[in-house]
Amino acid sequence: MTFLDLARKNAWRKPLRTTLLIVCIAVAFLIHGLTASFLAGSQGVSAASDNILGVMSASGRGQPLPMAHRARIAADPDVAAVAYVTRLRGFVDVEKNIVPISAVDPALLMETNGRELGLTPDLLEAIGQGRDRVLVGRALAEAEGWSVGQNITVTAFQVAKQDGGRDWRFVIAGIFEGESASSDTYFTVARYDYVNAARAKDKDTVDAFIIKPRDGVSPGVLAAHIDALFANSAAPTRTQSEKQFLEAFLRQYADIGLIVDLVTGAAFVTLLLIVINTMVFAVRERSFEIAVLKTLGISRMTILTLVLGETLFMFIIGGAIGLALARAGAIFAGPSLGLVFSAVVLLHATAIVLALGLATGLVPAVNAMRTPIMKAFRTR
């Protein structure tokens, strides 16, 4: 019988107890897998770029910037491309059914972060066929049940048209997929010239400029240089990376990372106490057998390793089940919940499985290793 066989048989000596422990471990890692997947994919933060820069008003997101800023930004030799965006938030049918719209110049957007969004020449040609044409992200299209060629009406919350109405009518020209599963595709790309010509106020202004630095240029240095360029203007700016912006946006509502750490931390601390307590009693039940092993010349380190092998066996089985369920949940939930079970999530969870397996087995293993032979024999 091999060492692994002995560890497995010892673990399954009490099938019901072992099964319940594995279920507890699986539930804990299911919680960890789902929360970590949400953190990895929430609002596309995991796919957001550290290189693409966004230039917004220093006064806040609600303050627009003049279109004239674009010429001065584009003149910087460290800037490879500049696009601009005006945001329009509205709803379809009911106010809870919110649809985000980004009004842009599609060709300029293609130059800056078209690859990240999964834009193609065919999509650019499709949206160029009419000023009211839009491109819809895959996540939003699936959530709404939209298809190419469909007419949609979005009622804006704030952006009114010149006739006083707030109903914006569009035709879906195409659906963009995003570069990866973690890309944010829960929004619509509209044409800036259509929105700018029809809106009642803030004409020839934008909510943000999107900058792609030239190769070899530090985004942080370029961001500071752009902000210094407009520091004394009537519309000073604040420049930050796409990832910084999205993380700051999420923190307006809650510190998602802290919430995830608290939830998983509570689950793992509870799991740690349950498994340690159970394994201490399990090893105490086998005190006589451990004494026999020591009498036969089995070393203390071998006994310690044997107990650690039992806990690792249960954690590996339970962790694998929990992470497999989390992976399945991320797949079946679809993109609307933003769950991304990435390789980073898997590697991090695997490290936790091994660490907790060793940590929970350490106390009972040391007790087994240090138990005097005569004291152990007296248990019979």
Side-chain angles (χ1 to χ4, degrees), residues 121-137:
D122 291 340
L123 289 175
L124 289 185
E125 182 180 354
I127 196 175
Q129 293 178 358
R131 298 176 71 186
D132 60 348
R133 299 301 195 269
V134 294
L135 301 177
V136 180

Side-chain angles (χ1 to χ4, degrees), residues 185-209:
T185 57
Y186 201 87
F187 68 99
T188 297
V189 174
R191 289 179 51 162
Y192 175 82
D193 55 357
Y194 173 64
V195 173
N196 189 54
R199 61 181 171 176
K201 62 177 184 177
D202 293 332
K203 288 185 179 295
D204 298 326
T205 64
V206 299
D207 289 334
F209 294 99

Side-chain angles (χ1 to χ4, degrees), residues 13-298:
R13 176 173 300 199
K14 295 290 182 68
L16 179 59
R17 180 172 62 194
T18 301
T19 301
L20 292 176
L21 283 178
I22 289 177
V23 170
C24 290
I25 295 169
V27 170
F29 279 95
L30 172 61
I31 294 172
H32 171 74
L34 291 177
T35 53
S37 296
F38 174 75
L39 183 62
S42 60
Q43 303 297 316
V45 170
S46 65
S49 172
D50 287 315
N51 295 322
I52 300 299
L53 299 176
V55 183
M56 291 160 287
S57 172
S59 301
R61 297 179 65 230
Q63 186 67 32
L65 293 172
M67 181 65 78
H69 275 18
R70 180 179 178 273
R72 297 182 66 183
I73 296 173
D76 192 305
D78 291 335
V79 174
V82 185
Y84 48 84
V85 58
T86 287
R87 297 182 181 89
L88 188 155
R89 293 181 73 252
F91 62 90
V92 175
D93 298 331
V94 295
E95 291 192 7
K96 292 183 178 180
N97 190 18
I98 298 176
V99 175
I101 297 176
S102 295
V104 302
D105 182 316
L108 295 178
L109 183 66
M110 183 72 174
E111 294 178 3
T112 53
N113 56 347
R115 178 177 61 83
E116 290 81 0
L117 295 176
L119 299 183
T120 63
D122 291 340
L123 289 175
L124 289 185
E125 182 180 354
I127 196 175
Q129 293 178 358
R131 298 176 71 186
D132 60 348
R133 299 301 195 269
V134 294
L135 301 177
V136 180
R138 172 61 66 184
L140 179 58
E142 291 182 354
E144 298 289 344
W146 291 342
S147 58
V148 176
Q150 184 174 343
N151 294 294
I152 60 174
T153 300
V154 178
T155 303
F157 289 113
Q158 295 179 332
V159 182
K161 302 172 71 174
Q162 291 184 7
D163 59 8
R166 297 182 183 272
D167 290 341
W168 294 81
R169 293 175 175 81
F170 302 100
V171 179
I172 299 177
I175 297 176
F176 59 92
E177 305 285 346
E179 182 184 24
S180 64
S182 58
S183 298
D184 179 18
T185 57
Y186 201 87
F187 68 99
T188 297
V189 174
R191 289 179 51 162
Y192 175 82
D193 55 357
Y194 173 64
V195 173
N196 189 54
R199 61 181 171 176
K201 62 177 184 177
D202 293 332
K203 288 185 179 295
D204 298 326
T205 64
V206 299
D207 289 334
F209 294 99
I210 305 170
I211 299 175
K212 180 180 181 181
R214 293 194 184 278
D215 293 339
V217 175
S218 169
V221 173
L222 180 57
H225 181 263
I226 291 172
D227 288 342
L229 186 66
F230 299 105
N232 297 320
S233 69
T237 62
R238 181 187 180 191
T239 305
Q240 55 188 169
S241 71
E242 183 184 27
K243 177 168 287 190
Q244 289 173 329
F245 169 76
L246 289 174
E247 289 175 346
F249 178 78
L250 285 177
R251 282 196 296 270
Q252 292 179 355
Y253 301 96
D255 191 334
I256 305 299
L258 177 60
I259 292 174
V260 169
D261 290 340
L262 290 176
V263 171
T264 56
F268 286 143
V269 168
T270 304
L271 176 65
L272 200 67
L273 296 175
I274 291 174
V275 177
I276 288 177
N277 184 65
T278 304
M279 286 302 299
V280 166
F281 279 103
V283 171
R284 188 176 298 172
E285 291 173 355
R286 302 203 302 269
S287 296
F288 183 82
E289 298 174 19
I290 293 172
V292 172
L293 291 176
K294 290 182 177 181
T295 304
L296 294 175
I298 302 299

Side-chain angles (χ1 to χ4, degrees), residues 29 32 36 343-353:
F29 279 95
H32 171 74
V344 175
V345 173
L346 177 60
L347 290 175
H348 185 253
T350 301
I352 295 177
V353 168

